[in-house]
Amino acid sequence: MKILIGLGNPGKEYEKTFHNIGFEVVDCLAKRLGIKFSKKGCKAIYGEAKLNGQKIVLAKPQTFMNLSGESVLMFKNKFKDAEIVVICDDFDLEKGKLRFRLHGSGGTHNGLRNIVSLIGENFARLRVGIGQPDKPIVTFVLSKMDDSYDSIIEKASEELIKICDSKTN
């Protein structure tokens, strides 16, 4: 079983912002697989389905980004043997580049830092490059993405399907 957790901030004002690219990627995958975010729990909204015979959970924490770890910890405790994959933005990667790692630090990402502080470094993560900020970091990550990111979101959702077919932990 895999739990794919897209990071973002809840609320309409944050839709389509760089910091919500994790939400956008799991939304894209949910649409492809016909998954509805119909469940509430673990401080998140989520949906479940089977992909190639394996149960997957797609989740969007409803905490704000800097408290994402609270939701991830709850999923880890609820689904004890599940493999967790976190999807998030990364301004240290060039626009459109994807980086998948099985473990590591939180780096410069506050959501990942919070997760690491609560569950440690041993969880997979797919970072989606959004490019270097042209303004202060907080202003940049909370600004709206243009349509050129749609293909990047699609590419990242395709990568998640490949990840679901492999052993990540």
Side-chain angles (χ1 to χ4, degrees):
M1 176 183 177
K2 288 200 173 48
I3 306 171
L4 310 175
I5 303 174
L7 299 189
N9 286 309
K12 287 234 177 257
E13 66 270 28
Y14 298 107
E15 287 179 2
K16 297 282 189 183
T17 62
F18 290 106
H19 227 17
N20 275 34
I21 207 163
F23 278 11
E24 298 289 331
V25 172
V26 296
D27 281 342
C28 180
L29 185 56
K31 186 175 181 182
R32 288 177 79 167
L33 300 176
I35 298 172
K36 303 264 189 259
F37 291 93
S38 58
K39 297 185 176 194
K40 292 182 179 179
C42 299
K43 294 188 177 184
I45 57 173
Y46 65 100
E48 299 178 9
K50 290 227 180 223
L51 178 63
N52 300 327
Q54 175 178 226
K55 182 177 177 179
I56 63 167
V57 173
L58 297 180
K60 298 190 295 186
Q62 297 299 288
T63 60
F64 283 90
M65 180 66 76
N66 295 351
L67 299 175
S68 298
E70 294 174 5
S71 178
V72 175
L73 177 61
M74 293 173 93
F75 276 109
K76 182 177 167 72
N77 290 334
K78 180 178 176 114
F79 300 103
K80 295 198 183 312
D81 295 326
E83 296 176 43
I84 294 173
V85 180
V86 172
I87 304 94
C88 67
D89 61 294
D90 190 334
F91 63 77
D92 290 324
L93 291 177
E94 67 185 65
K95 178 182 176 182
K97 183 173 172 113
L98 303 178
R99 180 175 290 155
F100 179 70
R101 296 284 189 262
L102 295 176
H103 52 80
S105 74
T108 59
H109 196 283
N110 288 334
L112 287 177
R113 285 180 183 175
N114 183 250
I115 296 167
V116 167
S117 75
L118 294 174
I119 70 167
E121 295 183 354
N122 290 322
F123 64 93
R125 72 279 322 264
L126 178 65
R127 293 177 181 244
V128 181
I130 59 173
Q132 285 292 311
D134 57 357
K135 50 187 102 172
I137 292 170
V138 172
T139 304
F140 177 69
V141 298
L142 295 178
S143 62
K144 301 283 185 186
M145 294 182 281
D146 61 43
D147 292 342
S148 70
Y149 284 85
D150 291 348
S151 63
I152 295 166
I153 290 164
E154 181 70 29
K155 182 172 101 174
S157 75
E158 290 169 8
E159 187 66 19
L160 283 178
I161 290 173
K162 292 177 191 171
I163 290 167
C164 283
D165 286 338
S166 67
K167 177 88 172 136
T168 56
N169 292 339

